[in-house]
Amino acid sequence: MSDTPPSATTLSLPDTFDMLVHPVSRLSGSLRAQPSKNYTTRYLLAAALSEGQTRVVGVATSEDAEAMLRCLADWGAGIEHIGDDVVIRGFGASPRSGVTLNPSNAGAVARFLMAVAALTEETRFVTDYPDSLGKRPQADLLAALERLGARTQSQDGKFPITVRGGLAVRGGSVEVSAEKSSQYASALMFLAPLLPGGLTLHLTGDIKSHAPLRQTLATLSAFGVRATASGDLSRIEIPGGQAYRLERAEIPGDYPGSAAILTAAAILPGEVTLSNLRPDDLQGEREAVDVLREMGADITREGERVTVRGGRKLSAVTRDGDGFTDAVQALTAAAASAEGTTTWENVYTLRLKECDRISDTRAELQRLGLVGAETNDSLSVTGGRIAGGVTADGHGDHRMIMLLTLLGMRAEAPVRITGAHHIRKSYPQFFAHLESLGGRFEALPNTRVE
């Protein structure tokens, strides 16, 4: 059976919609994993920081990618779309000054660009998502930029934000907290090689999400930038006066989104194969394959192809989820189908995403008749019956929408998910892909859950 391309769809979706998810008895078929959201944003930024031309092959079509491309164009990068590829003519170390950038609801995009804004005399950041990105903390990154000589203005460390840098920012040694997000350090890593003095980064606190930091280091290396890091990533050195250079960059498959497809395949009978998933990828969500296997799922891998034979009995696990935070919501659907109580530990950073993915997830599980529990940094769910027949709140969060969709497919009656259009943030073809495997969906006018 040939893989279904990411563009395949029979669903006609309006700009905003709720999604009615119908229960299904089985899933079967083959898909090619969509391009990685995290690598797409990193490669697009690195290409813009090059002074030459880079063809980025197989770019994700997510809203995050669109936000990055829009901001890079506003800063002066040349952008040309050729099929699924994007050719970028970079601005190097000289993005335009005096520009206002709107990264929409893309947290990583916003943070990466805020650090690079230190190359400009002034860049202002706004968002049309004041209740999501507008509430997420940026103060630790702004404090690091100020220690390097930049001047910043913000609303108590939140949007709107102005960064003034230019010749005052030369580089050197700087501390940055990694307690709340690894994105602050990644942002400074993109800036570092273009500063005359480079940067020696000292990451403080309990470092979260090592995998994305290694993805950033891998991106720098692919573009010819030299960097060294300690084994625990607490110290990262990047010499200054370097240049980004790469003529062709290929985006690997996306593990966070694929975790949802693999979980759907595990909790329902049938056989599903997902290709374009590199076995040696640095994405931490690659661990979702091992978690599902530990829970009892029948999963085999042949190179970049992962096959799930679903409907097997699943058992609860207790796992440190910090390494695969963007797969926790999807794997929670497997936990809801497993015997016993599953606990994801060390996942406090989930509270700082598009919604509070600990408390809000617990609330939605309970709305669906499941038992959920939480601590400050953990989420637990006890497997059981999903009655369905309710309206669940998508909380404007693509990962929450994925979880609720998987639960709805296994429920005893349809589940309506509000604001399901927010899936486009990371996986625009999510419903179409599941439909091609046997899922049944119905787009409805957008409502809100009170």
Side-chain angles (χ1 to χ4, degrees), residues 5-53:
S7 59
T9 177
T10 60
L11 285 168
S12 178
L13 300 177
D15 290 342
T16 64
F17 60 91
D18 292 356
M19 186 62 81
L20 188 66
V21 181
H22 292 274
V24 295
S25 59
R26 65 183 291 109
L27 296 176
S28 62
S30 297
L31 290 171
R32 179 177 176 82
Q34 69 159 1
S36 165
K37 176 177 78 78
N38 289 344
Y39 273 111
T40 290
T41 52
R42 284 166 168 77
Y43 279 19
L44 292 176
L45 176 57
L49 295 174
S50 303
E51 294 184 356
Q53 181 171 288

mmCIF file of all heavy atoms in Angstrom, residues 5-53:
data_model
loop_
_atom_site.group_PDB
_atom_site.id
_atom_site.type_symbol
_atom_site.label_atom_id
_atom_site.label_comp_id
_atom_site.label_asym_id
_atom_site.label_seq_id
_atom_site.Cartn_x
_atom_site.Cartn_y
_atom_site.Cartn_z
ATOM 1 N N PRO A 5 -0.060 10.974 0.811
ATOM 2 C CA PRO A 5 0.718 12.210 0.934
ATOM 3 C C PRO A 5 0.045 13.174 1.889
ATOM 4 O O PRO A 5 -1.174 13.144 2.081
ATOM 5 C CB PRO A 5 0.724 12.763 -0.507
ATOM 6 C CG PRO A 5 -0.510 12.205 -1.136
ATOM 7 C CD PRO A 5 -0.688 10.839 -0.515
ATOM 8 N N PRO A 6 0.846 14.063 2.509
ATOM 9 C CA PRO A 6 0.290 14.999 3.481
ATOM 10 C C PRO A 6 -0.808 15.888 2.926
ATOM 11 O O PRO A 6 -1.614 16.412 3.660
ATOM 12 C CB PRO A 6 1.506 15.825 3.913
ATOM 13 C CG PRO A 6 2.674 14.936 3.668
ATOM 14 C CD PRO A 6 2.303 14.148 2.444
ATOM 15 N N SER A 7 -0.866 16.096 1.610
ATOM 16 C CA SER A 7 -1.854 17.004 1.046
ATOM 17 C C SER A 7 -3.211 16.344 0.839
ATOM 18 O O SER A 7 -4.180 17.010 0.496
ATOM 19 C CB SER A 7 -1.345 17.546 -0.296
ATOM 20 O OG SER A 7 -1.103 16.489 -1.194
ATOM 21 N N ALA A 8 -3.301 15.007 1.020
ATOM 22 C CA ALA A 8 -4.552 14.319 0.751
ATOM 23 C C ALA A 8 -5.618 14.710 1.760
ATOM 24 O O ALA A 8 -5.374 14.756 2.951
ATOM 25 C CB ALA A 8 -4.333 12.809 0.801
ATOM 26 N N THR A 9 -6.829 15.025 1.274
ATOM 27 C CA THR A 9 -7.929 15.355 2.167
ATOM 28 C C THR A 9 -9.248 15.245 1.441
ATOM 29 O O THR A 9 -9.345 15.587 0.270
ATOM 30 C CB THR A 9 -7.781 16.776 2.755
ATOM 31 O OG1 THR A 9 -8.933 17.037 3.561
ATOM 32 C CG2 THR A 9 -7.653 17.814 1.683
ATOM 33 N N THR A 10 -10.257 14.747 2.117
ATOM 34 C CA THR A 10 -11.619 14.799 1.602
ATOM 35 C C THR A 10 -12.468 15.692 2.481
ATOM 36 O O THR A 10 -13.631 15.904 2.217
ATOM 37 C CB THR A 10 -12.240 13.388 1.546
ATOM 38 O OG1 THR A 10 -12.258 12.838 2.872
ATOM 39 C CG2 THR A 10 -11.443 12.478 0.640
ATOM 40 N N LEU A 11 -11.880 16.226 3.566
ATOM 41 C CA LEU A 11 -12.595 17.132 4.455
ATOM 42 C C LEU A 11 -12.544 18.551 3.902
ATOM 43 O O LEU A 11 -11.494 19.022 3.472
ATOM 44 C CB LEU A 11 -11.967 17.117 5.846
ATOM 45 C CG LEU A 11 -12.240 15.906 6.735
ATOM 46 C CD1 LEU A 11 -11.313 15.935 7.932
ATOM 47 C CD2 LEU A 11 -13.683 15.890 7.192
ATOM 48 N N SER A 12 -13.682 19.217 3.922
ATOM 49 C CA SER A 12 -13.737 20.619 3.547
ATOM 50 C C SER A 12 -13.929 21.418 4.830
ATOM 51 O O SER A 12 -14.995 21.355 5.448
ATOM 52 C CB SER A 12 -14.881 20.873 2.573
ATOM 53 O OG SER A 12 -14.961 22.243 2.248
ATOM 54 N N LEU A 13 -12.893 22.145 5.245
ATOM 55 C CA LEU A 13 -12.913 22.797 6.552
ATOM 56 C C LEU A 13 -12.953 24.309 6.409
ATOM 57 O O LEU A 13 -12.141 24.892 5.682
ATOM 58 C CB LEU A 13 -11.678 22.378 7.354
ATOM 59 C CG LEU A 13 -11.541 20.879 7.618
ATOM 60 C CD1 LEU A 13 -10.234 20.595 8.359
ATOM 61 C CD2 LEU A 13 -12.726 20.353 8.404
ATOM 62 N N PRO A 14 -13.874 24.971 7.124
ATOM 63 C CA PRO A 14 -13.919 26.444 7.115
ATOM 64 C C PRO A 14 -12.757 27.012 7.922
ATOM 65 O O PRO A 14 -11.975 26.281 8.534
ATOM 66 C CB PRO A 14 -15.270 26.750 7.766
ATOM 67 C CG PRO A 14 -15.536 25.566 8.649
ATOM 68 C CD PRO A 14 -14.940 24.379 7.949
ATOM 69 N N ASP A 15 -12.676 28.342 7.963
ATOM 70 C CA ASP A 15 -11.582 28.981 8.687
ATOM 71 C C ASP A 15 -11.624 28.646 10.177
ATOM 72 O O ASP A 15 -10.592 28.419 10.805
ATOM 73 C CB ASP A 15 -11.629 30.498 8.493
ATOM 74 C CG ASP A 15 -11.257 30.905 7.077
ATOM 75 O OD1 ASP A 15 -10.647 30.085 6.375
ATOM 76 O OD2 ASP A 15 -11.592 32.035 6.690
ATOM 77 N N THR A 16 -12.816 28.664 10.768
ATOM 78 C CA THR A 16 -12.977 28.275 12.169
ATOM 79 C C THR A 16 -14.060 27.203 12.246
ATOM 80 O O THR A 16 -15.038 27.257 11.497
ATOM 81 C CB THR A 16 -13.373 29.476 13.054
ATOM 82 O OG1 THR A 16 -14.651 29.957 12.659
ATOM 83 C CG2 THR A 16 -12.342 30.593 12.952
ATOM 84 N N PHE A 17 -13.882 26.256 13.144
ATOM 85 C CA PHE A 17 -14.864 25.175 13.236
ATOM 86 C C PHE A 17 -14.682 24.402 14.534
ATOM 87 O O PHE A 17 -13.607 24.393 15.136
ATOM 88 C CB PHE A 17 -14.729 24.205 12.050
ATOM 89 C CG PHE A 17 -13.385 23.524 11.931
ATOM 90 C CD1 PHE A 17 -13.139 22.296 12.539
ATOM 91 C CD2 PHE A 17 -12.352 24.125 11.224
ATOM 92 C CE1 PHE A 17 -11.905 21.676 12.437
ATOM 93 C CE2 PHE A 17 -11.102 23.514 11.110
ATOM 94 C CZ PHE A 17 -10.885 22.292 11.721
ATOM 95 N N ASP A 18 -15.764 23.774 14.959
ATOM 96 C CA ASP A 18 -15.703 22.693 15.938
ATOM 97 C C ASP A 18 -15.644 21.397 15.151
ATOM 98 O O ASP A 18 -16.029 21.356 13.977
ATOM 99 C CB ASP A 18 -16.953 22.677 16.826
ATOM 100 C CG ASP A 18 -17.045 23.878 17.755
ATOM 101 O OD1 ASP A 18 -16.103 24.696 17.765
ATOM 102 O OD2 ASP A 18 -18.064 23.998 18.450
ATOM 103 N N MET A 19 -15.175 20.334 15.790
ATOM 104 C CA MET A 19 -15.146 19.041 15.110
ATOM 105 C C MET A 19 -15.928 18.022 15.915
ATOM 106 O O MET A 19 -15.694 17.851 17.116
ATOM 107 C CB MET A 19 -13.708 18.549 14.918
ATOM 108 C CG MET A 19 -13.617 17.278 14.072
ATOM 109 S SD MET A 19 -14.243 17.520 12.386
ATOM 110 C CE MET A 19 -12.821 18.282 11.599
ATOM 111 N N LEU A 20 -16.884 17.375 15.251
ATOM 112 C CA LEU A 20 -17.610 16.269 15.851
ATOM 113 C C LEU A 20 -16.867 14.991 15.487
ATOM 114 O O LEU A 20 -16.743 14.642 14.311
ATOM 115 C CB LEU A 20 -19.047 16.214 15.335
ATOM 116 C CG LEU A 20 -19.960 15.199 16.033
ATOM 117 C CD1 LEU A 20 -20.180 15.603 17.496
ATOM 118 C CD2 LEU A 20 -21.298 15.086 15.304
ATOM 119 N N VAL A 21 -16.341 14.326 16.507
ATOM 120 C CA VAL A 21 -15.553 13.099 16.316
ATOM 121 C C VAL A 21 -16.462 11.906 16.571
ATOM 122 O O VAL A 21 -17.020 11.758 17.662
ATOM 123 C CB VAL A 21 -14.349 13.074 17.278
ATOM 124 C CG1 VAL A 21 -13.521 11.813 17.053
ATOM 125 C CG2 VAL A 21 -13.488 14.320 17.093
ATOM 126 N N HIS A 22 -16.606 11.065 15.567
ATOM 127 C CA HIS A 22 -17.442 9.873 15.699
ATOM 128 C C HIS A 22 -16.603 8.681 16.144
ATOM 129 O O HIS A 22 -15.440 8.543 15.722
ATOM 130 C CB HIS A 22 -18.126 9.545 14.369
ATOM 131 C CG HIS A 22 -19.149 10.548 13.955
ATOM 132 N ND1 HIS A 22 -20.457 10.499 14.373
ATOM 133 C CD2 HIS A 22 -19.043 11.651 13.161
ATOM 134 C CE1 HIS A 22 -21.128 11.507 13.853
ATOM 135 N NE2 HIS A 22 -20.293 12.231 13.115
ATOM 136 N N PRO A 23 -17.152 7.818 16.971
ATOM 137 C CA PRO A 23 -16.433 6.587 17.335
ATOM 138 C C PRO A 23 -16.195 5.722 16.091
ATOM 139 O O PRO A 23 -17.014 5.710 15.170
ATOM 140 C CB PRO A 23 -17.390 5.893 18.307
ATOM 141 C CG PRO A 23 -18.320 6.966 18.779
ATOM 142 C CD PRO A 23 -18.448 7.936 17.641
ATOM 143 N N VAL A 24 -15.075 5.026 16.057
ATOM 144 C CA VAL A 24 -14.767 4.098 14.959
ATOM 145 C C VAL A 24 -14.289 2.782 15.554
ATOM 146 O O VAL A 24 -13.811 2.728 16.692
ATOM 147 C CB VAL A 24 -13.711 4.665 13.997
ATOM 148 C CG1 VAL A 24 -14.247 5.895 13.274
ATOM 149 C CG2 VAL A 24 -12.426 5.018 14.727
ATOM 150 N N SER A 25 -14.417 1.717 14.774
ATOM 151 C CA SER A 25 -14.076 0.382 15.271
ATOM 152 C C SER A 25 -12.662 -0.043 14.920
ATOM 153 O O SER A 25 -12.090 -0.919 15.581
ATOM 154 C CB SER A 25 -15.063 -0.656 14.719
ATOM 155 O OG SER A 25 -15.037 -0.660 13.292
ATOM 156 N N ARG A 26 -12.047 0.580 13.886
ATOM 157 C CA ARG A 26 -10.691 0.187 13.507
ATOM 158 C C ARG A 26 -10.059 1.258 12.630
ATOM 159 O O ARG A 26 -10.756 2.102 12.037
ATOM 160 C CB ARG A 26 -10.688 -1.164 12.785
ATOM 161 C CG ARG A 26 -11.391 -1.182 11.445
ATOM 162 C CD ARG A 26 -11.390 -2.597 10.837
ATOM 163 N NE ARG A 26 -10.066 -3.035 10.423
ATOM 164 C CZ ARG A 26 -9.358 -3.970 11.034
ATOM 165 N NH1 ARG A 26 -9.823 -4.575 12.103
ATOM 166 N NH2 ARG A 26 -8.170 -4.320 10.588
ATOM 167 N N LEU A 27 -8.739 1.215 12.545
ATOM 168 C CA LEU A 27 -7.969 2.086 11.666
ATOM 169 C C LEU A 27 -6.987 1.232 10.877
ATOM 170 O O LEU A 27 -6.386 0.302 11.435
ATOM 171 C CB LEU A 27 -7.181 3.139 12.463
ATOM 172 C CG LEU A 27 -7.962 4.177 13.269
ATOM 173 C CD1 LEU A 27 -6.996 5.063 14.049
ATOM 174 C CD2 LEU A 27 -8.841 5.038 12.366
ATOM 175 N N SER A 28 -6.791 1.552 9.616
ATOM 176 C CA SER A 28 -5.800 0.815 8.832
ATOM 177 C C SER A 28 -5.349 1.646 7.646
ATOM 178 O O SER A 28 -6.102 2.486 7.132
ATOM 179 C CB SER A 28 -6.373 -0.524 8.342
ATOM 180 O OG SER A 28 -7.479 -0.319 7.504
ATOM 181 N N GLY A 29 -4.102 1.450 7.242
ATOM 182 C CA GLY A 29 -3.561 2.164 6.097
ATOM 183 C C GLY A 29 -2.141 2.630 6.349
ATOM 184 O O GLY A 29 -1.512 2.255 7.348
ATOM 185 N N SER A 30 -1.636 3.432 5.437
ATOM 186 C CA SER A 30 -0.263 3.929 5.517
ATOM 187 C C SER A 30 -0.246 5.433 5.285
ATOM 188 O O SER A 30 -1.030 5.964 4.494
ATOM 189 C CB SER A 30 0.626 3.247 4.473
ATOM 190 O OG SER A 30 0.705 1.864 4.707
ATOM 191 N N LEU A 31 0.652 6.110 5.976
ATOM 192 C CA LEU A 31 0.827 7.548 5.857
ATOM 193 C C LEU A 31 2.313 7.896 5.845
ATOM 194 O O LEU A 31 3.129 7.163 6.407
ATOM 195 C CB LEU A 31 0.188 8.285 7.041
ATOM 196 C CG LEU A 31 -1.328 8.324 7.174
ATOM 197 C CD1 LEU A 31 -1.698 8.920 8.527
ATOM 198 C CD2 LEU A 31 -1.941 9.137 6.053
ATOM 199 N N ARG A 32 2.626 9.022 5.236
ATOM 200 C CA ARG A 32 3.955 9.601 5.364
ATOM 201 C C ARG A 32 3.869 10.697 6.420
ATOM 202 O O ARG A 32 3.018 11.580 6.331
ATOM 203 C CB ARG A 32 4.436 10.188 4.026
ATOM 204 C CG ARG A 32 5.820 10.837 4.090
ATOM 205 C CD ARG A 32 6.253 11.325 2.721
ATOM 206 N NE ARG A 32 7.519 12.028 2.793
ATOM 207 C CZ ARG A 32 8.717 11.466 2.815
ATOM 208 N NH1 ARG A 32 8.812 10.136 2.765
ATOM 209 N NH2 ARG A 32 9.819 12.185 2.869
ATOM 210 N N ALA A 33 4.719 10.621 7.434
ATOM 211 C CA ALA A 33 4.686 11.607 8.509
ATOM 212 C C ALA A 33 4.889 13.012 7.951
ATOM 213 O O ALA A 33 5.708 13.237 7.061
ATOM 214 C CB ALA A 33 5.760 11.291 9.542
ATOM 215 N N GLN A 34 4.133 13.963 8.483
ATOM 216 C CA GLN A 34 4.294 15.347 8.066
ATOM 217 C C GLN A 34 5.684 15.852 8.454
ATOM 218 O O GLN A 34 6.340 15.299 9.351
ATOM 219 C CB GLN A 34 3.221 16.207 8.717
ATOM 220 C CG GLN A 34 3.397 16.372 10.211
ATOM 221 C CD GLN A 34 2.675 17.588 10.750
ATOM 222 O OE1 GLN A 34 2.014 18.313 10.027
ATOM 223 N NE2 GLN A 34 2.808 17.832 12.047
ATOM 224 N N PRO A 35 6.174 16.916 7.803
ATOM 225 C CA PRO A 35 7.489 17.467 8.166
ATOM 226 C C PRO A 35 7.492 18.007 9.596
ATOM 227 O O PRO A 35 6.486 18.483 10.099
ATOM 228 C CB PRO A 35 7.696 18.595 7.144
ATOM 229 C CG PRO A 35 6.764 18.289 6.026
ATOM 230 C CD PRO A 35 5.587 17.609 6.649
ATOM 231 N N SER A 36 8.651 17.941 10.232
ATOM 232 C CA SER A 36 8.810 18.376 11.616
ATOM 233 C C SER A 36 8.566 19.876 11.766
ATOM 234 O O SER A 36 9.182 20.695 11.082
ATOM 235 C CB SER A 36 10.222 18.047 12.108
ATOM 236 O OG SER A 36 10.528 18.746 13.294
ATOM 237 N N LYS A 37 7.684 20.229 12.699
ATOM 238 C CA LYS A 37 7.439 21.634 13.026
ATOM 239 C C LYS A 37 8.684 22.269 13.636
ATOM 240 O O LYS A 37 9.071 23.385 13.275
ATOM 241 C CB LYS A 37 6.265 21.751 13.997
ATOM 242 C CG LYS A 37 5.988 23.163 14.481
ATOM 243 C CD LYS A 37 4.770 23.218 15.390
ATOM 244 C CE LYS A 37 5.062 22.737 16.800
ATOM 245 N NZ LYS A 37 5.777 23.767 17.613
ATOM 246 N N ASN A 38 9.330 21.560 14.568
ATOM 247 C CA ASN A 38 10.479 22.134 15.270
ATOM 248 C C ASN A 38 11.672 22.344 14.354
ATOM 249 O O ASN A 38 12.358 23.374 14.437
ATOM 250 C CB ASN A 38 10.867 21.243 16.448
ATOM 251 C CG ASN A 38 9.859 21.296 17.579
ATOM 252 O OD1 ASN A 38 9.030 22.194 17.641
ATOM 253 N ND2 ASN A 38 9.912 20.324 18.474
ATOM 254 N N TYR A 39 11.943 21.375 13.481
ATOM 255 C CA TYR A 39 13.064 21.553 12.558
ATOM 256 C C TYR A 39 12.744 22.592 11.499
ATOM 257 O O TYR A 39 13.628 23.324 11.044
ATOM 258 C CB TYR A 39 13.442 20.222 11.899
ATOM 259 C CG TYR A 39 14.429 19.417 12.703
ATOM 260 C CD1 TYR A 39 14.053 18.225 13.315
ATOM 261 C CD2 TYR A 39 15.746 19.837 12.851
ATOM 262 C CE1 TYR A 39 14.961 17.479 14.058
ATOM 263 C CE2 TYR A 39 16.658 19.103 13.588
ATOM 264 C CZ TYR A 39 16.261 17.922 14.187
ATOM 265 O OH TYR A 39 17.157 17.190 14.934
ATOM 266 N N THR A 40 11.475 22.673 11.080
ATOM 267 C CA THR A 40 11.099 23.668 10.072
ATOM 268 C C THR A 40 11.402 25.073 10.562
ATOM 269 O O THR A 40 12.039 25.867 9.859
ATOM 270 C CB THR A 40 9.614 23.534 9.711
ATOM 271 O OG1 THR A 40 9.405 22.324 8.972
ATOM 272 C CG2 THR A 40 9.154 24.706 8.852
ATOM 273 N N THR A 41 10.961 25.420 11.766
ATOM 274 C CA THR A 41 11.201 26.777 12.257
ATOM 275 C C THR A 41 12.694 27.045 12.430
ATOM 276 O O THR A 41 13.176 28.144 12.127
ATOM 277 C CB THR A 41 10.468 27.020 13.585
ATOM 278 O OG1 THR A 41 10.794 25.985 14.526
ATOM 279 C CG2 THR A 41 8.959 27.028 13.374
ATOM 280 N N ARG A 42 13.446 26.052 12.893
ATOM 281 C CA ARG A 42 14.885 26.226 13.077
ATOM 282 C C ARG A 42 15.599 26.406 11.737
ATOM 283 O O ARG A 42 16.445 27.295 11.579
ATOM 284 C CB ARG A 42 15.470 25.030 13.839
ATOM 285 C CG ARG A 42 15.174 25.062 15.334
ATOM 286 C CD ARG A 42 15.454 23.720 15.988
ATOM 287 N NE ARG A 42 15.435 23.814 17.455
ATOM 288 C CZ ARG A 42 14.326 23.879 18.187
ATOM 289 N NH1 ARG A 42 13.147 23.866 17.586
ATOM 290 N NH2 ARG A 42 14.397 23.958 19.504
ATOM 291 N N TYR A 43 15.281 25.572 10.755
ATOM 292 C CA TYR A 43 15.962 25.656 9.462
ATOM 293 C C TYR A 43 15.595 26.947 8.727
ATOM 294 O O TYR A 43 16.450 27.549 8.057
ATOM 295 C CB TYR A 43 15.619 24.437 8.601
ATOM 296 C CG TYR A 43 16.411 23.193 8.925
ATOM 297 C CD1 TYR A 43 17.068 23.043 10.140
ATOM 298 C CD2 TYR A 43 16.502 22.153 8.011
ATOM 299 C CE1 TYR A 43 17.783 21.903 10.438
ATOM 300 C CE2 TYR A 43 17.223 20.996 8.295
ATOM 301 C CZ TYR A 43 17.859 20.877 9.508
ATOM 302 O OH TYR A 43 18.572 19.742 9.787
ATOM 303 N N LEU A 44 14.340 27.373 8.831
ATOM 304 C CA LEU A 44 13.948 28.617 8.170
ATOM 305 C C LEU A 44 14.704 29.809 8.759
ATOM 306 O O LEU A 44 15.176 30.686 8.029
ATOM 307 C CB LEU A 44 12.439 28.836 8.297
ATOM 308 C CG LEU A 44 11.536 27.861 7.533
ATOM 309 C CD1 LEU A 44 10.078 28.150 7.846
ATOM 310 C CD2 LEU A 44 11.787 27.916 6.033
ATOM 311 N N LEU A 45 14.834 29.841 10.085
ATOM 312 C CA LEU A 45 15.562 30.937 10.720
ATOM 313 C C LEU A 45 17.038 30.902 10.343
ATOM 314 O O LEU A 45 17.622 31.933 9.992
ATOM 315 C CB LEU A 45 15.403 30.868 12.241
ATOM 316 C CG LEU A 45 16.194 31.905 13.038
ATOM 317 C CD1 LEU A 45 15.840 33.326 12.598
ATOM 318 C CD2 LEU A 45 15.951 31.735 14.531
ATOM 319 N N ALA A 46 17.648 29.723 10.409
ATOM 320 C CA ALA A 46 19.064 29.616 10.051
ATOM 321 C C ALA A 46 19.296 30.030 8.601
ATOM 322 O O ALA A 46 20.310 30.671 8.279
ATOM 323 C CB ALA A 46 19.556 28.187 10.290
ATOM 324 N N ALA A 47 18.363 29.683 7.712
ATOM 325 C CA ALA A 47 18.490 30.075 6.305
ATOM 326 C C ALA A 47 18.436 31.595 6.161
ATOM 327 O O ALA A 47 19.183 32.188 5.380
ATOM 328 C CB ALA A 47 17.394 29.421 5.480
ATOM 329 N N ALA A 48 17.566 32.248 6.933
ATOM 330 C CA ALA A 48 17.476 33.708 6.868
ATOM 331 C C ALA A 48 18.716 34.372 7.448
ATOM 332 O O ALA A 48 19.102 35.470 7.021
ATOM 333 C CB ALA A 48 16.234 34.189 7.604
ATOM 334 N N LEU A 49 19.362 33.721 8.417
ATOM 335 C CA LEU A 49 20.579 34.260 9.004
ATOM 336 C C LEU A 49 21.808 34.017 8.132
ATOM 337 O O LEU A 49 22.910 34.467 8.464
ATOM 338 C CB LEU A 49 20.795 33.659 10.404
ATOM 339 C CG LEU A 49 19.733 34.039 11.450
ATOM 340 C CD1 LEU A 49 19.965 33.279 12.745
ATOM 341 C CD2 LEU A 49 19.720 35.543 11.697
ATOM 342 N N SER A 50 21.624 33.310 7.029
ATOM 343 C CA SER A 50 22.691 33.125 6.038
ATOM 344 C C SER A 50 22.709 34.321 5.093
ATOM 345 O O SER A 50 21.684 34.975 4.883
ATOM 346 C CB SER A 50 22.449 31.846 5.229
ATOM 347 O OG SER A 50 22.345 30.714 6.064
ATOM 348 N N GLU A 51 23.868 34.581 4.536
ATOM 349 C CA GLU A 51 23.966 35.681 3.572
ATOM 350 C C GLU A 51 23.722 35.201 2.154
ATOM 351 O O GLU A 51 23.523 36.013 1.248
ATOM 352 C CB GLU A 51 25.318 36.363 3.689
ATOM 353 C CG GLU A 51 25.502 37.079 5.020
ATOM 354 C CD GLU A 51 26.802 37.833 5.118
ATOM 355 O OE1 GLU A 51 27.603 37.731 4.159
ATOM 356 O OE2 GLU A 51 27.024 38.524 6.120
ATOM 357 N N GLY A 52 23.715 33.887 1.952
ATOM 358 C CA GLY A 52 23.463 33.337 0.632
ATOM 359 C C GLY A 52 22.032 32.866 0.485
ATOM 360 O O GLY A 52 21.108 33.398 1.104
ATOM 361 N N GLN A 53 21.857 31.828 -0.332
ATOM 362 C CA GLN A 53 20.535 31.282 -0.623
ATOM 363 C C GLN A 53 20.467 29.834 -0.157
ATOM 364 O O GLN A 53 21.391 29.064 -0.384
ATOM 365 C CB GLN A 53 20.262 31.378 -2.128
ATOM 366 C CG GLN A 53 18.901 30.855 -2.556
ATOM 367 C CD GLN A 53 18.603 31.180 -4.006
ATOM 368 O OE1 GLN A 53 18.353 32.337 -4.355
ATOM 369 N NE2 GLN A 53 18.631 30.169 -4.861
#
